[in-house]
Amino acid sequence: MSYTGPEFDSPAPRRRRRGAMTVAVAALVPGALLGWLVYEAVGDTGGSGSGRTEAKAPSTPQASPSPASPSSAKPTASATSTGAEPAPAPSAAAPLRGKVVVIDPGHNPHNFQHTAEINRKVNIGTNWKECDTTGTATNAGYTEAEFTLDVARKLRTLLQEQGATVKLTQNGDRTYGPCIDERARIGNEAKADAVVSIHADGSGKGNRGFHVILPASVHAGAADTRPIVAPSRELGERIAGSFVRVTGSAPANYVGGGTGLVTRQDLGGLNLSTVPKVFIECGNMRDSKDAALLISGAWRQKAAQGISEGIVSFLRG
């Protein structure tokens, strides 16, 4: 996700009752710094570490999906956008039985073939914005849409093993999109206990690390995020903490002030959500060291594991 347009909002002040969570996140900083050192050491070789984009105008020209790029499994007839393919058997404990999680893989591998459709404006509650975009890509042509689908599928498997009902907003089986307003609606209509939108950034060279995007308090037009701000922050904090620990990656060095948390009020996927929802930018595709991680299947499995553990922690309370 490239960051053009509205400025970032500062993360909302933590409430006193959330002090324990704040301390927990703060305690991650030394570990994050250590992880970053390892991350720096292995990044150029595509190592596996130590363990939003919604509709926006990309800041650099985007590459078309390459048949030779390190994409993971392609959609099958049984892999539907609602995640209806046979679920793996849940573990005996099944701690997430009865919970619904919606995973939103950012963009769509076919968007670049449907520019007119994805440039159509949709209402995001506070204003109008493009339906979707192509997303970004590494310099070698591995696309954000390929990355997000692979991580989403891996994440779905992990959550289903925990007993959760998992739905995907798209599984590469649509000609384009869905548009950002529909992505929000899918989570709302599912009455999801948590929604996570998966992305990779398209920032400048040297900008590295992950960050989790939280909804700002917005009450305008069709948007009213006030009921979901607090639970979304908790979800984001837990995902950030797990992501550091599992992947060895550090919080972004270019947004979020080293916290790995950024609050935004311009994303329709958050503004229109009525259930707890966050975006995660797993790394920067335009930096060669981050890109070496993002194209690694082993690292993507760790990314999915980190996100999964954060979701499980959030849903178990």
Side-chain angles (χ1 to χ4, degrees):
M1 182 187 295
S2 302
Y3 289 109
T4 57
E7 295 295 322
F8 293 108
D9 300 305
S10 300
R14 308 279 176 85
R15 298 181 179 180
R16 182 174 299 276
R17 64 182 180 85
R18 304 187 51 74
M21 180 61 66
T22 302
V23 172
V25 173
L28 289 169
V29 173
L33 294 176
L34 175 60
W36 186 254
L37 294 176
V38 178
Y39 184 50
E40 287 283 347
V42 302
D44 282 328
T45 63
S48 59
S50 62
R52 120 355 279 197
T53 358
E54 51 173 51
K56 84 284 183 186
S59 56
T60 53
Q62 304 306 307
S64 299
S66 169
S69 64
S71 172
S72 56
K74 302 297 180 185
T76 63
S78 63
T80 69
S81 62
T82 57
E85 67 181 16
S91 62
L96 298 188
R97 190 178 301 279
K99 299 294 186 181
V100 177
V101 178
V102 170
I103 305 170
D104 179 29
H107 312 292
N108 182 313
H110 311 299
N111 274 358
F112 75 99
Q113 297 172 320
H114 297 274
T115 54
E117 291 88 345
I118 66 172
N119 285 333
R120 175 176 61 86
K121 297 293 182 70
V122 297
N123 191 331
I124 66 168
T126 54
N127 59 291
W128 293 76
K129 201 167 183 179
E130 289 79 7
C131 159
D132 202 4
T133 66
T134 59
T136 188
T138 67
N139 293 331
Y142 179 54
T143 67
E144 181 182 3
E146 292 177 283
F147 170 82
T148 65
L149 268 178
D150 188 40
V151 174
R153 291 168 181 159
K154 288 174 165 56
L155 176 57
R156 175 178 59 187
T157 297
L158 292 169
L159 292 171
Q160 287 175 335
E161 289 172 349
Q162 297 292 311
T165 297
V166 182
K167 299 178 183 292
L168 269 62
T169 59
Q170 59 94 10
N171 198 15
D173 52 353
R174 297 177 56 128
T175 54
Y176 68 91
C179 295
I180 54 181
D181 57 338
E182 183 182 353
R183 289 174 187 267
R185 189 161 58 249
I186 290 169
N188 297 344
E189 292 179 351
K191 294 181 170 52
D193 296 286
V195 183
V196 177
S197 188
I198 300 171
H199 292 270
D201 207 356
S203 187
K205 178 181 179 181
N207 292 341
R208 298 194 61 195
F210 78 92
H211 61 282
V212 178
I213 304 175
L214 314 173
S217 182
V218 176
H219 184 215
D224 185 1
T225 63
R226 293 174 297 176
I228 69 164
V229 167
S232 296
R233 173 168 285 275
E234 180 176 353
L235 173 62
E237 288 174 344
R238 290 181 184 265
I239 289 175
S242 296
F243 203 82
V244 167
R245 176 172 49 80
V246 176
T247 67
S249 297
N253 63 3
Y254 60 103
V255 291
T259 66
L261 302 173
V262 173
T263 302
R264 290 183 65 173
Q265 62 181 4
D266 63 311
L267 299 180
L270 296 179
N271 288 357
L272 296 176
S273 183
T274 58
V275 294
K277 182 174 182 178
V278 299
F279 283 42
I280 180 168
E281 298 281 1
C282 296
N284 177 22
M285 297 195 111
R286 289 297 177 174
D287 178 84
S288 61
K289 291 182 178 181
D290 266 15
L293 298 175
L294 296 169
I295 66 174
S296 164
W299 190 88
R300 293 196 299 272
Q301 183 65 45
K302 288 190 173 186
Q305 184 69 41
I307 297 168
S308 173
E309 291 187 11
I311 293 171
V312 172
S313 174
F314 170 74
L315 294 179
R316 296 190 71 180

